Amino acid sequence: MKTIIKAPPRRKPQSAGATTNRPGNPATGKRLPYGLADCVIFLAIAIPLLIAMCATGRPGA
């Protein structure tokens, strides 16, 4: 039985105009996904919940 050796796929050469134009600064055009109010609401819920879970947990578990 013959061994079939497959060559890696050939890639088409890209022209200079087809390259992706990326901004010089990667942070350009990005904004924070959450606002200050969202962060405050999250902390207002998460901190008491974390304290409650620690207070009701079994010691040594």
Side-chain angles (χ1 to χ4, degrees):
M1 186 171 181
K2 293 182 179 179
T3 303
I4 300 172
I5 300 174
K6 292 186 177 180
R10 295 182 182 178
R11 295 178 185 236
K12 295 180 183 177
Q14 293 181 350
S15 64
T19 58
T20 305
N21 294 327
R22 293 193 173 104
N25 183 4
T28 304
K30 290 187 178 181
R31 65 180 192 87
L32 293 175
Y34 301 108
L36 181 62
D38 295 327
C39 293
V40 170
I41 292 171
F42 173 76
L43 291 174
I45 294 171
I47 291 175
L49 184 62
L50 182 63
I51 292 171
M53 287 192 301
C54 291
T56 59
R58 284 185 299 153

